[in-house]
């Protein structure tokens, strides 16, 4: 698959969702994301359960190192689930050779951002993970979760929202995510604006993955520069010509696959 085919298919799916009531749109999003997900790795065990009163999905690879990784899915804080992000979570577990616990946190507009963060905190306390990994909206949650810890574990972040999310800081519009989309997210979850706290590194060890065509990449790179100035160790790669949401199709898009594999490998090295 080339990236233009992915953009066409994903944007068509998103457009159809806009015509649906939110519960149906969420189910449609799951189906859309699953069309790009590879089969589960051989021997992987997948279990749905609850930890700290929060629903989770656990991905347990056949061969694994002790200690789990907490995965926080994306979806703009309003859609997304352990089902929609099953593919990336399974791939992460296999690549890290660790159990991955994916958090099914509550969403807006049913709850405000602090309740989402509280769900993630409850699972963190129940699991004591060796790393936090967050995708997009989940990356924002992972950053704020790390800021709450006395000593945060290594962070893996995939194109998270950072900083003020203003016209001055965002990059240009891109397929699948425009600046207006970002401002809409900010209106849904005003508590995500992180002007002050994003000036400081959320953890001492961070791996970051972005894509070239994404308005969020510019503020992410500014944050990385600030974090490195404060002595954080930050690994960074930007997938060329890729777009927001391309993580779902990492198994089908060569440039995204290469960046994802490098991200997972470097995070695994930090954990080992």
């Amino acid at each position: 698959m080339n990236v233009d085919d992915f953009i066409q298919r994903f944007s068509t799916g998103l457009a159809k969702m806009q015509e649906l009531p939110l519960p149906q749109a969420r189910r449609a999003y799951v189906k859309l994301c699953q069309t790009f997900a590879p089969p589960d790795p051989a021997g992987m065990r997948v279990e749905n359960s609850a930890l700290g009163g929060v629903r989770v999905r656990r991905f347990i690879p056949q061969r694994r190192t002790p200690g789990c990784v907490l995965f926080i899915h994306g979806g703009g804080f309003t859609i997304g689930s352990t089902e929609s992000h099953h593919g990336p979570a399974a791939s992460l577990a296999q690549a890290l050779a660790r159990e991955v616990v994916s958090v099914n946190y509550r969403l807006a507009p049913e709850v405000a951002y602090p309740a989402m963060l509280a769900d993630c905190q409850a699972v963190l306390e129940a699991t004591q993970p060796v790393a936090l990994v967050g995708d997009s909206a989940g990356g924002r949650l992972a950053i704020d979760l790390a800021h709450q810890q006395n000593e945060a574990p290594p962070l893996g972040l995939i194109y998270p929202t950072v900083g003020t999310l203003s016209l001055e800081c965002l990059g240009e519009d891109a397929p699948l995510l425009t600046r207006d989309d970002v401002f809409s997210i900010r209106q849904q979850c005003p508590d995500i604006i992180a002007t002050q706290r994003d000036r400081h590194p959320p953890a001492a060890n961070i791996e970051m993955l972005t894509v070239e065509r994404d308005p969020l990449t510019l503020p992410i790179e500014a944050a990385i520069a600030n974090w490195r100035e404060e002595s954080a160790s930050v690994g960074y790669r930007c997938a060329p010509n890729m777009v927001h949401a391309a993580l779902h199709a990492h198994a089908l898009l060569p440039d995204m696959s290469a960046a994802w594999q490098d991200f997972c490998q470097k995070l695994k090295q930090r954990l080992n």
Side-chain angles (χ1 to χ4, degrees):
M1 175 184 288
N2 64 48
V3 69
D4 291 333
D5 291 337
F6 170 73
I7 291 168
Q8 176 64 33
R9 286 175 56 184
F10 208 85
S11 61
T12 299
L14 293 179
K16 290 178 180 177
M17 286 168 48
Q18 292 178 357
E19 303 171 359
L20 301 173
L22 187 54
Q24 294 179 29
R26 287 171 176 165
R27 291 193 291 271
Y29 183 69
V30 169
K31 292 181 180 178
L32 175 63
C33 295
Q34 288 178 344
T35 62
F36 301 101
D40 287 347
M44 177 164 290
R45 199 164 79 247
V46 179
E47 300 176 355
N48 293 317
S49 61
L51 292 169
V54 179
R55 290 182 299 139
V56 299
R57 179 168 290 187
R58 305 174 72 156
F59 298 82
I60 306 167
Q62 192 169 35
R63 296 182 180 179
R64 67 185 189 276
T65 304
C68 75
V69 172
L70 192 63
F71 177 75
I72 309 175
H73 68 76
F77 305 102
T78 59
I79 57 175
S81 64
T82 55
E83 290 185 272
S84 64
H85 287 66
H86 181 110
S91 176
L92 182 69
Q94 186 73 6
L96 298 182
R98 303 228 182 210
E99 177 182 348
V100 164
V101 178
S102 181
V103 187
N104 217 28
Y105 59 90
R106 290 169 291 171
L107 301 173
E110 290 89 337
V111 302
Y113 183 75
M116 305 178 200
L117 192 59
D119 286 350
C120 297
Q121 176 69 31
V123 178
L124 181 145
E125 292 174 357
T127 57
Q128 296 297 307
V130 297
L132 306 177
V133 177
D135 160 59
S136 191
R140 175 73 260 163
L141 284 158
I143 290 170
D144 290 338
L145 197 60
H147 274 304
Q148 293 181 356
Q149 313 310 308
N150 291 329
E151 186 173 344
L155 274 182
L157 302 172
I158 303 112
Y159 36 62
T161 56
V162 296
T164 58
L165 303 182
S166 65
L167 277 173
E168 294 75 21
C169 78
L170 290 173
E172 296 299 318
D173 289 345
L176 303 187
L177 190 70
T178 67
R179 293 191 290 181
D180 283 345
D181 293 332
V182 176
F183 296 146
S184 175
I185 292 169
R186 185 180 66 179
Q187 291 171 355
Q188 284 275 6
C189 294
D191 297 296
I192 69 172
I193 299 173
T195 309
Q196 297 299 323
R197 61 181 180 268
D198 278 351
R199 294 178 182 175
H200 307 291
N205 294 282
I206 302 168
E207 288 295 333
M208 180 76 75
L209 169 60
T210 65
V211 289
E212 182 179 8
R213 300 159 70 187
D214 185 342
L216 296 178
T217 297
L218 195 62
I220 288 169
E221 290 178 343
I224 289 173
N226 290 336
W227 297 346
R228 285 173 171 168
E229 284 183 4
E230 294 197 21
S231 300
S233 173
V234 186
Y236 178 57
R237 74 280 304 143
C238 180
N241 203 34
M242 293 295 103
V243 294
H244 205 88
L247 180 62
H248 290 294
H250 69 271
L252 304 172
L253 298 168
D255 287 334
M256 196 67 198
S257 176
W260 174 243
Q261 289 174 20
D262 183 68
F263 170 86
C264 293
Q265 179 185 14
K266 295 300 193 302
L267 183 58
K268 184 177 182 179
Q269 289 174 1
R270 289 185 187 272
L271 300 186
N272 292 339

